[in-house]
Structure formats: C-alpha cells, structure tokens
Amino acid sequence: MFTKNKNRTTLLKYWTTRYVSTLFIGLLILGVFSLWWIRHNTIENRLTLMEYTAAETADRIGLTDRRNDFNSFNRRLDDRAKLLQMKKPPELFITNLNGNILNARSPHRGRLPNEHPLQSLKKIPAKILDTNETIQKVKIDSKPVYVVKKPIMFEGNQAGWVVVVQTASQVTNVNQEYRFPIFLLVGIGLLGWIVIYFLSKKIVKPIQDVARAASQIKDGNYDINLNTHAKEKELYELLTSFEEMTSRLSHLEKLRAELLAGVTHDLKTPVTSISGLVQAVKDGVVSGEERNEFLEITLKEVNRLQRMIEDLLDYNSLSAGAFSIRSETCHFNEMVEDIVHQWKMTQNEDIDIEVILPRANIYRETDPLRLQQILINLFNNSYHSIDSTGSITVTLTENSIDVQDTGSGIPEKEQPYVFERFFRGEKKKLKVRGLGLGLPFSKMLAKALGADLVLKESSLQGSTFSMVWKK
C-alpha cells in the first residue's frame, strides 16, 4: 500500500527549479569572472591610453618647443578622456626636471576651480619622478591616484616631464562597461529558463499521461488511450511499452476470468461424473460387465482430475523455485528415441511420429526427467492438433530439438500468448480439457536446463516448437 507524501513536488517544478538554480549559479560565476575581466581590461586600457597621451605630448613638446601652448594639450586630453569613458578627464602637468609645474588650466575651459582634486597642484612629488616606473599608483594629498610620466627630450637632453594624473576612483569606475554583460547574462538566464520550462513541460506531459493511465489500471480500468506519436525515442518506447503492457494485462484479466470458469467446469465435470458413476454402482443400478465399465470410466476421470491437480502443483513449485535439477551427461540420440518410443506406447492409437537424428552422437549435460516432461508436453500438444492422417516429426541437432506437426496450426492472433499461463486457444478449448499450463511449464523447465522453448513457426500446414540450447 502506497502512502501519500504531502511534500512531493511535480516533475516540471522539480527540474525547472533545479535548472534555474544551476543556471543562476553558473551565470553568477560567469558574471563575476566577466565583470572582473572587464574591470581589469578597462583599467589596463585607460592606463595605456594615458601613457600614450603622455608620450605623445612629450614628443610634441620636444619637437616643436611649444612649451607655452598648453591649451591644445589640455583639449587633446579632454578628447582622449571621452574615449576612456571617464566622467572627469585626467590632469596633464608639464614640469621641469625638478617637478615644478609649468602649465596651468585656463579659466575659459569652463571648469570650476575645484572640479579636479589635483587641479591646484604646484609641484609633482620627487618620489614620483625619482622612480623608474612609468605607471604608478600613489597618494597625493591623501588621495589615491594613478600617475603616468614621460620625459621631455630636447636636442638629446631631458628638459622636463609630462605627467598625467587621474584619481583612482575615476580610473576604476567601470560601471558603464558593466551594463551590456549584465544585460546579456540576465537575458541568457531568462531565455534559458523559458526554454527549459517549455521543454520540460513537453517531456513531462507523456509521463503524466502514463501516470494517469497507471492510476486507471490500478482501479481496474484497462480502456486507456495514449498518444504514442512522441518523437523522442525514450518517450516513444515508454508509451508503446506501457500500451503493450496494458493490452497484456487486459488479456491476462480476461484469461483469469476464463480460468475461473474453466477450472470450475473442468474440476466439476469429473467430480460429477465420478459421483454419478459411484452412486450407480453403490445402488446396484448396474452390474456385471456394465459395473466394471462404470468403474473403469470412474478411474479415468480420477486420473484426469489428478493430472489437472498435478499440473497446478508442478507449475506452482516451479514458479516458487521449489524444485531441483539433477544434471548428468546424457546421450541425446538414444534418450530422444527412448522418450518418443515410451510416449508412443502410452497412446491408444497408432501415431505417425518420426525421429530424425544426426550422424554424430550428441552428449550434453541435462536432467533427463525434466527433458522428458518438456518433450511429452510438446508431443501431446502436437497430437491434439493433428487428425488421423497427420504426423509428428522430431529433429535433433547439435543445439536444438524441434517438434513439428502437420496439424491445423495456431492462429496468428493467438501465437504471442501460447506461453502465457492458463491460456488456451479457442479450438483447443473445445477439443481438449486442461488448465493451459503445459507450454508455460515447459518453457520454465527449459530455462532451468539452460535452454529456451520457442514457437519456431506456425501456419495452416502445422506448427514447429523448438527447444534451443545457448551456444
């Protein structure tokens, strides 16, 4: 009995939630790395462009000796700042060798006096000029700044310095660079969630249909209709297998109902006959030869009833594994001939049965008693399917024993069920009484002997059952 768990969730919710969680973690890691990479590259690019600006300015001053035309340099620096995507352009200072600043911003540029924290700087600290590093991160007036310096060369001699200074906050402010990757990552995450939601929904639907169908079967309703046109191989196999299982269960349910009716009839008939015959003898209704005939018929009915009960017991024992296999090395040529001969002798009429043996002797490990049970069941089936002019052929090969008859054959629609327990064909129901356990019992015995029992072929010209050993 199944217990209901209130904490269970739907498959669609389960997978979409975990996919979104995995996607979010993956995009978060990717986003952090991407933003770090953008920040790193942006800072590198800004410092490189500042270095290029300083070098260009130093070259122009050295070549033209335009030491007093500072406005053009400042305007060029403002233009470069736009390329650097900084809110405030860096400060450009031209100094002598001692670091004294020679240029100053012109008021007409439209800046407030305190717009840049280093605008009022008068001298570049010596610690900046004395080092060999071109790009430095230092503190000026307690403010962290990036400093780029380049020497001014005039006629082969150094005449001063070009120093480009920008606050660290401006250099590292890359918020504008973050907008596109953030938008891209959010878009990918949203698109991924939508895609996995609809794909999961498409996959879950057939599973939900199977679950509902299983619930109907549990309630005894086998009339289900599944859409088996799924493109996915696994889903198609699931749906078709479930449909076939349902068809098989429906068929077994029908067999069960027929079994109850058949067993009741088949058991009741001999018991009624026995009761009537014994009562007739007891009451003296019959006497003499007729009395002996009644007793003989009673014994036949008792034997038939006993065989039916033994079939049930043997099948149940085999199903439960409560049987033993006693293997020994057997001469199959002689053994098959003996089994055929013994079976033929137990029949009340002469039967045309032929044994075809190979020239070479075949030896194999098997249980002769179990093999005899299988072959006798096959012989009985063949005997019941043939008429007075029919024949049975037993063929032994290295790996198989074939039992072929010239009977009426098994209808095609019944062939998939011949090894189902309690199954009996329509023709056989009218001709032979029994429980339909002979072939299922024989197949289980064959597997216990390391072989398989199959219906090799069947048509209007007859049927062939084959017991095949694994190579």
Side-chain angles (χ1 to χ4, degrees), residues 368-400:
L369 178 61
R370 302 299 184 185
L371 181 62
Q372 182 178 12
Q373 286 180 279
I374 296 171
L375 293 180
I376 288 177
N377 277 329
L378 295 179
F379 297 160
N380 288 334
N381 277 346
S382 296
Y383 172 70
H384 294 147
S385 66
I386 61 178
D387 53 27
S388 58
T389 60
S391 64
I392 302 173
T393 303
V394 182
T395 304
L396 173 65
T397 64
E398 180 69 25
N399 296 308
S400 67

Side-chain angles (χ1 to χ4, degrees), residues 252-450:
L252 289 177
E253 182 66 19
K254 181 181 177 181
L255 289 179
R256 185 185 66 83
E258 292 179 354
L259 172 67
L260 290 176
V263 169
T264 301
H265 177 269
D266 288 341
L267 292 179
K268 182 180 179 181
T269 299
V271 170
T272 302
S273 298
I274 292 170
S275 177
L277 292 170
V278 172
Q279 189 66 40
V281 173
K282 178 183 177 182
D283 294 340
V285 176
V286 293
S287 60
E289 292 183 2
E290 190 176 14
R291 178 175 178 275
N292 292 333
E293 183 180 355
F294 271 41
L295 290 176
E296 185 177 349
I297 295 173
T298 300
L299 287 175
K300 288 183 179 179
E301 292 296 322
V302 170
N303 289 333
R304 187 160 65 88
L305 185 62
Q306 185 176 3
R307 283 196 303 271
M308 293 172 63
I309 295 174
E310 287 176 352
D311 285 345
L312 282 173
L313 293 175
D314 288 343
Y315 185 84
N316 288 333
S317 298
L318 188 59
S319 298
F323 71 101
S324 59
I325 297 294
R326 296 179 176 85
S327 296
E328 58 183 78
T329 303
C330 300
H331 190 304
F332 265 54
N333 304 59
E334 296 179 354
M335 184 172 59
V336 170
E337 277 192 314
D338 290 343
I339 294 174
V340 171
H341 178 73
Q342 292 175 21
W343 177 80
K344 187 176 181 180
M345 292 297 101
T346 59
Q347 305 306 309
N348 295 328
E349 55 183 281
D350 188 28
I351 299 174
D352 184 8
I353 181 168
E354 180 185 5
V355 181
I356 301 176
L357 301 174
R359 294 182 179 179
N361 293 327
I362 298 176
Y363 294 89
R364 185 182 290 276
E365 289 285 331
T366 191
D367 186 333
L369 178 61
R370 302 299 184 185
L371 181 62
Q372 182 178 12
Q373 286 180 279
I374 296 171
L375 293 180
I376 288 177
N377 277 329
L378 295 179
F379 297 160
N380 288 334
N381 277 346
S382 296
Y383 172 70
H384 294 147
S385 66
I386 61 178
D387 53 27
S388 58
T389 60
S391 64
I392 302 173
T393 303
V394 182
T395 304
L396 173 65
T397 64
E398 180 69 25
N399 296 308
S400 67
I401 300 177
D402 292 349
V403 178
Q404 181 181 11
D405 62 65
T406 59
S408 57
I410 302 171
E412 185 176 354
K413 65 178 181 179
E414 295 181 1
Q415 291 179 16
Y417 307 107
V418 293
F419 293 108
E420 293 286 352
R421 54 187 177 179
F422 308 120
F423 174 78
R424 300 174 67 203
E426 294 297 328
K427 294 181 180 179
K428 196 171 183 180
K429 289 179 184 178
L430 302 176
K431 190 175 181 180
V432 182
R433 290 181 179 178
L435 300 178
L437 291 175
L439 285 176
F441 178 70
S442 297
K443 190 175 182 69
M444 294 177 69
L445 278 179
K447 288 185 176 181
L449 296 178

Side-chain angles (χ1 to χ4, degrees), residues 111-140:
R111 293 192 172 189
L112 296 175
N114 296 323
E115 185 176 354
H116 199 285
L118 303 175
Q119 187 175 341
S120 60
L121 190 66
K122 301 299 183 182
K123 185 177 181 178
I124 301 299
K127 63 180 181 179
I128 296 175
L129 301 178
D130 292 341
T131 181
N132 293 326
E133 295 181 9
T134 303
I135 301 175
Q136 305 171 58
K137 185 178 181 182
V138 297
K139 286 187 177 181
I140 299 178

Side-chain angles (χ1 to χ4, degrees), residues 221-232:
N221 179 16
Y222 298 97
D223 186 17
I224 63 172
N225 185 21
L226 292 175
N227 182 10
T228 58
H229 299 293
K231 295 181 180 179
E232 297 80 0

Side-chain angles (χ1 to χ4, degrees), residues 67-85:
R67 304 184 187 182
N68 297 319
D69 188 8
F70 301 127
N71 289 332
S72 61
F73 299 132
N74 290 330
R75 283 193 299 271
R76 189 178 297 111
L77 190 60
D78 287 345
D79 294 337
R80 298 287 167 77
K82 293 179 181 179
L83 295 176
L84 296 172
Q85 295 184 348

